[in-house]
Amino acid sequence: MLDRGMVVPVRFVSRLMLVLALVGVVPVLLLGGLSFRANRDELHRLVGGLQTQAATELARSCRQLVLTGVDNLRAATEYLPLEGLGPQEASEVLSIPLRQLGTLNLLVLVDAQGHAIAPAVFSPEGGGNRQPVTDDSRAIFSRQVPVQDALSTGAAIGPPYRVPGTSVGRVALAVRTGETASRLLLAELSLAELGRQVAELSGEDGLAFIVDSRGALVVSAHGPGALSEEEQSLVAEGLSRREPVVRTVRSVDGLEYLAAFVSVPDLGWGAVVGRNASMAFAPAEHVRRSTFFWALMALAATGVLGFVLARGVSQPIARLSKGVAALAEGRYGERVPEEGRDELGLLAHSFNHMAGELQRRDAELRRWSEELQQRVDERTRQLREAQDQIARTRRLAALGSLSAGIAHELNNPLTGILGLLALSRDEVPATSAVGQSLTMALEQARRMAGIIRELRQMAEQERAGAGRPLNPAQPVRAALHEVREELQSRGVTLSCKLSEQVPQVLGHADQLQKVVTNLLQNALTAMPSGGTLSVGLAAVEGDAVCLSVKDTGKGIPETMRERIFDPFFTTKDEPGRVGLGLSVAHRIVEAHHGRIRVESDAGQGTTITVILPAVGAEAHLA
């Protein structure tokens, strides 16, 4: 037992331990709890925003797929004479748009009462973006077709439906064949493309699905199962509010997700995308565990100090309290003086170490948040560029298919016209008025034949095969040699930088030469009064080859920049130019798995960059 003069009163020790506990532990727990709450709320906002963005993109893709299907049907009714066809002719004619439109499972022509004029045209086994067509699916399709709505409005979209046992739905579409027509063109639109997007978004730890206006599943990545009660509640709230909703939900398999609901514009459907909650809030959980750890450490330190110290601790405790207050205010840089090697000094050291750890972890969280935001911005930009590229490729593919069909139909009669004009011209004097008129007609017919030949070449680029490895500098030099006389006649100065240390590319030399020739001719046309033409060829990190063609012409206005790859669109006023050069170049580059990019400002010239993958590259360029 201690001597009475040396014994510290129990009440003082208790108070000292209580004060130490309050000063050393409570602020840590409070700050840790606030930090945990703040980080969880921030993660909820950031990750929820990412899921909302992903759900918005999924909803946009859903709307675009359905509305594009309606537009394709309308286009088919405009160029196909469906109103006057018999049963056999209707089946043969409908097989044409069925082959061209890869997202349609079935096409059928019906009268105003919904009776089929000819048997439905479909591919039973499906494939690609198509789904198999069975007797059950056709029966469901016949019940879902909006015949009366299409007769009153001209075009209608039926409610989505799923064939039993499948996880990807379908949609029945109906379009009247004309404004005063009594027939309807019906189609079953496949949502298989949305199924792949949903599967990619789900992955191993994600959640993604699409529902209709009643909350029923349309597309799901985990089979044809039903939604959990929490998922149904999220869908019901999103459908009623018609605005994005973000919350944590628990799926039927018991996993918790941070999910976002976004309505599909114009359709009334909904898209849901989520991420596993344990992964989404992992940094906040790490902060909470660290807070408990350091709280326990502080509690142990205060217990030791309370039993050892009883007197002469007011000033050190005051300094410690001041440091705690600074820490609670967020001033992590302030430290408690470490005087001596006794328990108070150790406590001060522990507190400083704890404050440093909190400061470091807070800095890490802030840095991680900034890096996450930068990555989100970068991914958003890349996604926007990829969407623009996909939209342009689809538009050119559709125009190319239409151009190929028109060229095929016009080629034979035009060949006959050329022969007749040539024979007629030989039978009359060349100097007569009739002879001169025939000569002019023959020249114009040959010009039309050239245009048709270019149109056919646009559609034949993708059927040319993979090609063989070649040095990309060879077609570039051949194209420069081809336009050398035009360079001199126009007074254009050539600046050529062709690197010899470039990898080989896989392709066709003549097609690549045509790409370079078209780019050079467009550049020369943009400089009618002379200028400087710069041509460069270099490697891009050893995995790709970059070709650049830059002119000092008048440039391309921003309003026209998105249309320069469309067939027959041209900004040049020179006679004889039909606006197919860049369209052909774009199709050739796409067929070689490359990418073409345009940079131009009005009055500042134009730079066209072509990037081609090198032989042996692991992936094609987006």
Side-chain angles (χ1 to χ4, degrees), residues 415-483:
T415 302
I417 293 173
L418 284 170
L420 293 175
L421 288 175
L423 292 174
S424 301
R425 188 187 63 176
D426 293 337
E427 292 178 1
V428 298
T431 58
S432 64
V434 176
Q436 293 177 357
S437 298
L438 289 175
T439 300
M440 293 176 60
L442 184 60
E443 291 177 353
Q444 295 301 319
R446 287 173 178 170
R447 182 186 174 194
M448 291 175 61
I451 296 174
I452 292 175
R453 184 167 56 254
E454 292 188 5
L455 287 173
R456 296 184 64 182
Q457 289 177 356
M458 286 179 59
E460 294 173 356
Q461 304 301 331
E462 297 179 354
R463 300 194 294 267
R468 59 182 181 84
L470 57 91
N471 186 351
Q474 295 176 356
V476 175
R477 292 193 179 94
L480 290 172
H481 181 75
E482 185 177 349
V483 299

Side-chain angles (χ1 to χ4, degrees), residues 36 115 130 245 357 472 478 553 622:
F36 168 77
H115 300 148
R130 290 193 176 100
V245 179
E357 284 294 312

Side-chain angles (χ1 to χ4, degrees), residues 419-607:
L420 293 175
L421 288 175
L423 292 174
S424 301
R425 188 187 63 176
D426 293 337
E427 292 178 1
V428 298
T431 58
S432 64
V434 176
Q436 293 177 357
S437 298
L438 289 175
T439 300
M440 293 176 60
L442 184 60
E443 291 177 353
Q444 295 301 319
R446 287 173 178 170
R447 182 186 174 194
M448 291 175 61
I451 296 174
I452 292 175
R453 184 167 56 254
E454 292 188 5
L455 287 173
R456 296 184 64 182
Q457 289 177 356
M458 286 179 59
E460 294 173 356
Q461 304 301 331
E462 297 179 354
R463 300 194 294 267
R468 59 182 181 84
L470 57 91
N471 186 351
Q474 295 176 356
V476 175
R477 292 193 179 94
L480 290 172
H481 181 75
E482 185 177 349
V483 299
R484 67 185 188 281
E485 295 182 359
E486 191 174 357
L487 282 170
Q488 298 175 357
S489 63
R490 291 179 178 266
V492 175
T493 302
L494 176 63
S495 174
C496 187
K497 295 181 180 180
L498 304 181
S499 175
E500 296 296 334
Q501 302 298 325
V502 293
Q504 290 187 331
V505 299
L506 188 66
H508 300 273
D510 55 342
Q511 293 185 7
L512 294 179
Q513 179 180 345
K514 187 172 185 63
V515 171
V516 182
T517 301
N518 287 341
L519 297 181
L520 294 176
Q521 289 177 347
N522 273 275
L524 292 175
T525 306
M527 298 182 293
S529 302
T532 300
L533 176 62
S534 301
V535 179
L537 182 67
V540 181
E541 297 181 357
D543 294 331
V545 177
C546 177
L547 168 68
S548 63
V549 178
K550 179 179 181 181
D551 63 68
T552 57
K554 61 182 181 180
I556 304 173
E558 184 177 359
T559 56
M560 298 182 180
R561 207 170 300 158
E562 288 296 325
R563 297 185 57 198
I564 63 174
F565 294 107
D566 293 347
F568 301 107
F569 178 81
T570 178
T571 60
K572 314 299 186 303
D573 53 3
E574 289 190 1
R577 298 196 62 85
V578 296
L580 288 175
L582 287 180
S583 299
V584 173
H586 187 279
R587 292 299 295 271
I588 294 175
V589 172
E590 289 287 333
H592 284 72
H593 306 291
R595 187 174 70 178
I596 186 169
R597 183 172 56 194
V598 178
E599 298 177 4
S600 180
D601 292 322
Q604 302 296 325
T606 301
T607 301

Side-chain angles (χ1 to χ4, degrees), residues 188-210:
E188 183 182 70
L189 178 65
S190 170
L191 302 181
E193 182 178 345
L194 294 178
R196 287 192 291 271
Q197 294 184 28
V198 167
E200 292 177 359
L201 290 172
S202 297
E204 298 181 358
D205 59 351
L207 175 71
F209 56 84
I210 298 176

Side-chain angles (χ1 to χ4, degrees), residues 266-281:
D266 301 330
L267 299 181
W269 304 357
V272 176
V273 177
R275 186 182 180 186
N276 193 292
S278 61
M279 298 184 64
F281 299 122

